[in-house]
Amino acid sequence: MSTRPLYLGPRLKRIRRELGLTQQAMADELGISPSYIALIERNQRPLTADLLLRLARAYKLDMADLASDERDDYARRMADALRDPIFNDIDLPALEVSDVAASFPGVTEALLRLYGAWQREQQALAEQRSAVPGTGASDPVGEARRFVAARRNYFPAIDSKAEELADEIAKAGGAAEWLRLRGVRVRFLPPDVMMDAVRRYDRHNEQLLIDDTLSPSGRAWQLMQHIAYTALRSEIAGVIRGESFASETAAQLVRRALAGYAAAALVMPYDRFARAVDARRYDIEALSGQFGASFEQVAHRLTTLNRPGQERVPFFFIRVDTAGNVSKRLDGAGFPFAAHGGGCPLWSVHECFRTPGEIVTQWLELPDGQRFFSLARTVTSGGGGFGRPRWTRAIALACAAEHAPRLVYAAGADPKAVEATPIGVTCRLCHRAQCTARAEPPIGREILPDDYRRGAEPFSFAES
């Protein structure tokens, strides 16, 4: 029988937390001091046979399970993890691994937790990549987003040509007149004639047909979309020339994104829009009125102001529906939601459906201490007539906190002093233990049973 002292600090700490006890309460029941409990939990004192017996009797615990030494188990788990090929080039003697497990159980648990999280992430990525066999990519939407993000959502050739065309269109008296001068007649027709299309180009009769129930900004946008697809065709083609996409769907999504970019550049030419942004201090509603664009179109255009030497505040943009589905995501602010989701219920983008049409601002703080400022508002699409479907989405812009004072929405605020809402990019990657809004436990954390204690949070996590 082994006579070595029993250092069971992490196990005692887990038992105490599962029972919902403070160190003081456990010490009172066992007849020892709270400081002695603290020393045992930090593995600075062994658990004596007498105390082990009292512990088993007080909480009706199995003596054999309680007395089993965790050091051998930690050493085995560490040895198993370190056999992974990723560690092949590191000399890791078995004795050193055993010493770390025995002397530093907390560090050992931390390393095992990190390794477990890494394994799960690797598995998730592998499953994602194999979701559509034979295509080489499981997510054409993600591929298109990565294409845009890799170029910082800025396409100089398109912007430059769009500025030239915007001047021509303005001199002609508007997009419809500019098209007429080029032999294309613009007609606004009822939905039944349009056969559920909002824009249709009749090449045989050289007519551009547009749904007459669209809003003024919607009509202007569709006109500019047509010009983008025709007059800026070569610029769009030049951006994607030589690119290889995993699927035709991904290629079409990129082309659509570039056409939308071109349309925005026509409605809001770079130089003129950038000057207005400075003058209006990023007031989206004021900019909407000045350029005859929708709130969403202006918000989207703000993410594209990345011309070298003429950059403006870098923004992250997201659009979600009431079910939380993300239909558009653009990153220019280094916001990790771009890579991992945007599903934190504590972020106001999910709350602004309660106050439709109102701008909601919020200071945000991520688990690593990064701070951001966001503004969110609902936008409505569809409708235009009785019985026609209408849907509401929420859009949000976020920028790094240090840029926020440049915005009219955060005038006079000190980014370092304001109170910020603690959020996570997604529950699966957020390790904040005290979040009552959590939907699921994070990757790499084991949850505690709630046989004896149920906290206010949906899950309680094992700490070591």
Side-chain angles (χ1 to χ4, degrees):
M1 179 178 178
S2 174
T3 59
R4 64 184 180 181
L6 286 175
Y7 289 89
L8 305 177
R11 181 173 300 181
L12 180 64
K13 189 175 184 179
R14 282 203 301 270
I15 290 171
R16 178 175 62 77
R17 293 193 170 185
E18 288 176 11
L19 294 171
L21 299 174
T22 62
Q23 290 181 339
Q24 180 69 59
M26 177 172 274
D28 290 343
E29 293 181 3
L30 297 178
I32 56 178
S33 69
S35 60
Y36 191 55
I37 290 286
L39 289 171
I40 294 173
E41 289 188 349
R42 292 198 297 269
N43 268 357
Q44 294 177 347
R45 292 289 187 277
L47 198 64
T48 64
D50 175 65
L51 190 55
L52 187 65
L53 184 60
R54 275 187 275 173
L55 192 64
R57 287 175 177 172
Y59 304 113
K60 298 181 175 58
L61 302 173
D62 187 288
M63 188 76 165
D65 290 341
L66 189 60
S68 62
D69 196 337
E70 288 186 320
R71 287 177 292 188
D72 292 339
D73 181 59
Y74 270 141
R76 178 189 57 77
R77 290 168 60 197
M78 276 289 284
D80 289 344
L82 295 172
R83 276 196 289 270
D84 192 288
I86 196 172
F87 304 117
N88 277 352
D89 60 338
I90 304 175
D91 184 23
L92 297 165
L95 184 60
E96 289 185 11
V97 174
S98 181
D99 284 345
V100 169
S103 303
F104 307 101
V107 172
T108 302
E109 180 66 27
L111 293 173
L112 289 171
R113 190 178 297 168
L114 282 171
Y115 179 71
W118 179 82
Q119 275 191 312
R120 291 180 179 91
E121 280 294 282
Q122 292 298 300
Q123 181 63 33
L125 288 171
E127 291 173 354
Q128 183 181 13
R129 286 170 183 151
S130 62
V132 183
T135 66
S138 60
D139 182 12
V141 173
E143 186 178 5
R145 286 174 179 166
R146 288 190 293 274
F147 178 91
V148 173
R151 291 151 183 81
R152 298 182 63 237
N153 197 20
Y154 174 61
F155 302 92
I158 293 177
D159 258 311
S160 179
K161 182 63 175 179
E163 283 192 291
E164 292 180 16
L165 284 177
D167 287 341
E168 289 183 16
I169 291 169
K171 290 175 183 177
E177 183 62 17
W178 184 87
L179 286 167
R180 187 189 68 77
L181 293 172
R182 283 153 182 79
V184 178
R185 179 186 178 195
V186 177
R187 299 181 64 193
F188 298 96
L189 301 173
D192 56 334
V193 178
M194 291 295 295
M195 296 180 292
D196 296 325
V198 294
R199 182 189 78 249
R200 185 163 62 87
Y201 181 42
D202 179 355
R203 298 185 64 175
H204 178 70
N205 294 305
E206 289 294 308
Q207 294 186 121
L208 178 61
L209 312 177
I210 294 177
D211 186 336
D212 67 2
T213 64
L214 292 175
S215 65
S217 64
R219 291 185 179 194
W221 184 258
Q222 294 304 324
L223 283 168
M224 294 305 190
Q225 282 259 289
H226 173 76
I227 294 173
Y229 275 120
T230 53
L232 283 126
R233 182 185 299 275
S234 62
E235 284 73 22
I236 292 174
V239 172
I240 58 178
R241 187 174 295 120
E243 296 291 334
S244 178
F245 297 101
S247 67
E248 182 60 27
T249 296
Q252 290 298 337
L253 287 173
V254 169
R255 189 166 177 272
R256 177 184 292 188
L258 294 175
Y261 183 100
L266 288 166
V267 175
M268 296 163 275
Y270 197 105
D271 283 339
R272 189 156 59 93
F273 184 69
R275 290 195 299 270
V277 163
D278 292 337
R280 302 280 186 172
R281 297 192 63 191
Y282 295 83
D283 187 329
I284 297 177
E285 290 171 313
L287 291 166
S288 297
Q290 181 174 345
F291 288 90
S294 71
F295 188 93
E296 180 176 346
Q297 289 162 7
V298 172
H300 190 165
R301 182 59 168 155
L302 286 172
T303 69
T304 69
L305 301 182
N306 298 310
R307 179 178 291 173
Q310 299 181 47
E311 300 94 338
R312 296 308 192 269
V313 171
F315 284 104
F316 166 81
F317 174 103
I318 193 171
R319 184 178 69 192
V320 300
D321 63 20
T322 53
N325 300 305
V326 177
S327 53
K328 188 185 292 185
R329 183 188 294 132
L330 299 162
D331 186 37
F335 202 33
F337 275 47
H340 300 297
C344 182
L346 300 178
W347 189 16
S348 61
V349 68
H350 303 289
E351 292 290 322
C352 64
F353 290 103
R354 297 182 181 181
T355 54
E358 294 183 16
I359 294 177
V360 180
T361 63
Q362 187 180 29
W363 294 89
L364 309 171
E365 183 171 306
L366 296 175
D368 62 2
Q370 290 187 83
R371 286 192 159 207
F372 292 85
F373 177 78
S374 85
L375 58 101
R377 203 199 82 167
T378 58
V379 294
T380 303
S381 302
F386 180 76
R388 300 194 70 191
R390 184 188 304 269
W391 54 93
T392 300
R393 299 185 180 96
I395 64 172
L397 285 175
C399 67
E402 61 264 27
H403 297 304
R406 296 171 62 182
L407 280 57
V408 68
Y409 309 102
D414 181 353
K416 296 180 180 178
V418 294
E419 184 176 350
T421 302
I423 68 167
V425 294
T426 174
C427 289
R428 297 293 281 160
L429 297 176
C430 178
H431 289 263
R432 282 195 173 99
Q434 285 74 43
C435 180
T436 56
R438 179 178 292 283
E440 53 187 345
I443 294 171
R445 296 295 293 274
E446 302 298 333
I447 66 170
L448 297 173
D450 56 5
D451 302 46
Y452 299 99
R453 178 181 181 276
R454 176 67 162 83
E457 303 82 12
F459 307 99
S460 297
F461 307 131
E463 295 194 2
S464 60

